[in-house]
Amino acid sequence: MTEVPLQIAVRDDAVTMTCEQCGKAFIPSGRRVYCSNACKQRAFRARRGAPPLPARLRRAPKDSTVYYCPDCDTRYLGVQRCEGCDRFCRRLGAGGICPCCDEPVALKDLVEGVTIMFSD
């Protein structure tokens, strides 16, 4: 039985090409060094010392979002359609049920001038 020597792909860019930013392997094309334009942009920002982009915030979960009907001004918690007018409601933002009056209240009603969003 003869052993076949292993090929070491040290200089074979088609096999060993990895992104300089994230380290992910990709199919090379031309003089490409990064796997995507996003990695290319991240590497540029890292070289320039620019601050990283902030994490994208997501909306509050539907169950804890207060909606109101523009026609009858009724507020709902987690319900997007007005039961009386049969119209879609507008989102006020994160909130809950008021412990005093058992009505939906949005957090932005309680704290003036503050935008409240949830993040992962």
Side-chain angles (χ1 to χ4, degrees), residues 8-28:
I8 300 174
V10 176
R11 297 274 187 205
D12 189 5
D13 283 343
V15 175
T16 60
M17 198 67 162
T18 57
C19 177
E20 288 186 6
Q21 180 65 25
C22 68
K24 186 173 97 176
F26 68 96
I27 299 171

Side-chain angles (χ1 to χ4, degrees), residues 40-52:
K40 183 178 175 182
Q41 187 68 38
R42 271 190 228 108
F44 174 80
R45 288 185 179 135
R47 283 193 312 270
R48 293 287 183 165

Side-chain angles (χ1 to χ4, degrees), residues 44-63:
F44 174 80
R45 288 185 179 135
R47 283 193 312 270
R48 293 287 183 165
L53 294 176
R56 187 174 292 195
L57 298 176
R58 64 177 178 88
R59 289 186 183 159
K62 183 181 170 189
D63 296 341

Side-chain angles (χ1 to χ4, degrees), residues 20-41:
E20 288 186 6
Q21 180 65 25
C22 68
K24 186 173 97 176
F26 68 96
I27 299 171
S29 107
R31 297 175 8 187
R32 195 170 172 184
V33 180
Y34 303 103
C35 64
S36 66
N37 288 336
C39 280
K40 183 178 175 182
Q41 187 68 38

